[in-house]
Amino acid sequence: LGDVYKRQDKDQVFINVIDNGKGIPKRLVKRIFQPGFTTKKRGWGLGLALVKRIIEEHHSGKVFVASSKIGKGTTFRILLPKN
């Protein structure tokens, strides 16, 4: 894991989670939140699917890939409504 940044405006909280991993190819970005999807030899591919479900169903938020560069890393953005 690299860094986590947070900011807010009057309606939302924005959280960026930035890693310095291998990056996600554009052709796979839409699939990474699907249950069972993984590029690893081990694991069940449930981590990001659970993250998405918790954020959307339990917090009425959104999570998505804000940017990704092969060999540099990925930035995930979480948007949460302020209550």
Side-chain angles (χ1 to χ4, degrees):
L1 183 66
D3 296 302
V4 176
Y5 296 99
K6 180 189 113 178
R7 76 178 176 118
Q8 56 188 328
D9 64 18
K10 66 178 185 161
D11 299 320
Q12 290 184 315
V13 175
F14 304 79
I15 303 167
N16 285 347
V17 180
I18 304 164
D19 73 20
N20 53 2
K22 61 182 182 176
I24 303 167
K26 287 184 182 189
R27 64 184 169 78
L28 298 180
V29 168
K30 291 186 178 185
R31 296 179 53 201
I32 64 169
F33 293 103
Q34 295 174 353
F37 178 79
T38 184
T39 59
K40 300 176 183 177
K41 292 182 182 182
R42 297 183 60 178
W44 292 20
L46 296 177
L48 288 174
L50 287 172
V51 165
K52 184 174 179 68
R53 184 173 179 184
I54 290 167
I55 289 172
E56 291 182 354
E57 294 181 15
H58 297 282
H59 299 288
S60 300
K62 294 181 181 184
V63 60
F64 55 93
V65 174
S67 66
S68 188
K69 293 187 180 181
I70 301 301
K72 299 288 184 181
T74 301
T75 299
F76 290 90
R77 180 161 297 150
I78 300 169
L79 304 176
L80 299 171
K82 287 177 82 173
N83 293 334

